[in-house]
Amino acid sequence: MAPAIEIKNLSVSFRSRRGPVEALRGLSLTVDPGTVFGFLGPNGAGKTTTMHVLLGFIEPGSGSAYIFGEDVRHSIARRRIGYLPERAETYVFLTGRELLHMAGRLFGMRGAGLRGRVDELLQQVDLVDSADRRIGTYSRGMLQRIGLAQALVNDPDLVILDEPTGGLDPLGRMEVRKIIAEMRARGKTVFFSSHELSE
């Protein structure tokens, strides 16, 4: 079985006024399927850059990256991914339920199957009572939870979470950890970044 994530000698540089800035140099790592992998490092260490390579947002200068054996430069590799960015910004004029329906339709989901999945996710992230409120009225913790639900709408095999507990209170952190544990119990792979050793 192919690794969920395989990165080989990955390097990324960005241009700046003062010359090239090396964001990653020779990064190699392997994440097995069905595991939770904590990607730890201080701010500016290249965690988000690594995730952006995996998601196909940026091209590496050298090296390679694979998801379940597929080169990340091929869009087919990304169909099995759910992603929560560090700042889950979304359409504030939509309700939580509308956002999840829209995300599901982007993955080709329709009808009763989509409605059932949305209801299941709202329950999972504890937003049933707020599902029909506009997202613009959500607290920071609620925004993080609806973002997590959106990342899970396609029932991905790999979930990439960038600082998923950032800005959350202790109860919110516990809820996110519980969801991660549930995903692992279902055989999903979770790759999350943090700059906090306690995570």
Side-chain angles (χ1 to χ4, degrees):
M1 179 183 284
I5 296 173
E6 187 175 16
I7 294 173
K8 299 177 181 178
N9 202 30
L10 194 68
S11 296
V12 176
S13 294
F14 297 108
R15 293 181 189 164
S16 75
R17 290 183 206 162
R18 298 178 183 173
V21 175
E22 205 170 37
L24 293 173
R25 182 191 319 141
L27 175 67
S28 295
L29 63 86
T30 301
V31 179
D32 292 326
T35 60
V36 175
F37 188 97
F39 196 39
L40 182 68
N43 290 330
K47 301 183 301 296
T48 298
T49 298
T50 303
M51 292 179 166
H52 284 183
V53 169
L54 292 173
L55 294 159
F57 295 164
I58 59 175
E59 284 270 336
S62 63
S64 55
Y66 300 87
I67 293 172
F68 299 110
E70 292 281 348
D71 192 309
V72 297
R73 291 173 295 183
H74 304 151
S75 63
I76 192 169
R78 296 189 290 275
R79 291 181 187 164
R80 298 172 69 182
I81 300 176
Y83 171 57
L84 176 67
E86 183 176 1
R87 290 177 187 82
E89 296 180 14
T90 188
Y91 301 106
V92 296
F93 55 85
L94 295 177
T95 68
R97 188 182 308 277
E98 288 169 341
L99 175 70
L100 296 183
H101 275 275
M102 181 186 74
R105 286 193 299 272
L106 291 173
F107 281 100
M109 301 167 72
R110 298 284 185 273
L114 175 56
R115 288 191 297 274
R117 181 65 176 153
V118 167
D119 289 343
E120 176 188 339
L121 288 168
L122 289 168
Q123 185 78 39
Q124 188 176 6
V125 299
D126 195 26
L127 285 175
V128 172
D129 293 339
S130 307
D132 298 307
R133 278 176 42 195
R134 295 200 184 280
I135 291 171
T137 68
Y138 282 15
S139 68
R140 170 79 169 108
M142 293 167 75
L143 284 171
Q144 197 75 344
R145 285 184 281 146
I146 198 65
L148 184 54
Q150 180 182 335
L152 300 177
V153 75
N154 61 323
D155 195 23
D157 296 314
L158 169 63
V159 183
I160 297 176
L161 308 173
D162 195 355
E163 303 276 359
T165 60
L168 297 182
D169 60 24
L171 184 58
R173 287 174 182 239
M174 284 175 53
E175 289 172 348
V176 169
R177 289 182 191 131
K178 179 183 172 191
I179 291 168
I180 289 173
E182 288 169 355
M183 285 189 282
R184 180 179 58 191
R186 293 179 54 224
K188 305 296 185 180
T189 306
V190 180
F191 183 76
F192 79 95
S193 71
S194 180
H195 62 272
E196 297 183 28
L197 187 58
S198 62
E199 289 299 306

